[in-house]
Amino acid sequence: MSEKMTSKIELNVELDANRVPEKLYWTAQDGGITNEEAKAMMLAVWDSKVQETLRIDLWTKDMPVDEMKVFFHQTLVAMSDTFNRATQDEKMTATMKDFCDYFAEKLELNKS
């Protein structure tokens, strides 16, 4: 029998007195990341029993709005790529990418 491997990803959130995130840290030792600070995170977990996505969306109170817009755009682009790898649905992937371009245009993210 082959030995089972496990990998651990850890999230730590520092909260203020009102339980609002002040600091986010993450560790993924297999990826060489230890207690790295982040300003925002989104985690989605699929519960196949109830056919529902469970989510945790957190951002620190000092996350700038302009960075949040870029974070959302990059997340949408990454989701499009993941959707393509998972489904090989090129047509819907192209539609999703078109939306990502539209999103960036409307938020004026592509201006230099």
Side-chain angles (χ1 to χ4, degrees), residues 1-35:
M1 239 157 86
S2 66
E3 183 179 331
K4 291 187 179 183
M5 304 291 288
T6 62
S7 183
K8 182 178 179 179
I9 299 171
E10 185 176 315
L11 303 168
N12 290 295
V13 183
E14 287 184 15
L15 305 171
D16 69 9
N18 294 317
R19 303 191 54 81
V20 175
E22 287 191 323
K23 302 268 186 188
L24 300 173
Y25 299 96
W26 67 293
T27 298
Q29 299 248 329
D30 287 356
I33 297 164
T34 303
N35 215 35

Side-chain angles (χ1 to χ4, degrees), residues 60-102:
T60 60
K61 57 184 169 184
D62 67 340
M63 173 77 169
V65 172
D66 60 330
E67 287 183 25
M68 182 62 87
K69 291 175 181 181
V70 173
F71 174 60
F72 262 82
H73 178 256
Q74 290 179 1
T75 300
L76 291 169
V77 170
M79 288 175 64
S80 300
D81 294 337
T82 302
F83 179 82
N84 189 40
R85 282 194 316 275
T87 66
Q88 291 80 50
D89 186 332
E90 299 291 335
K91 187 175 179 182
M92 184 52 70
T93 298
T95 300
M96 293 171 74
K97 294 281 188 180
D98 287 345
F99 174 75
C100 291
D101 291 343
Y102 175 79

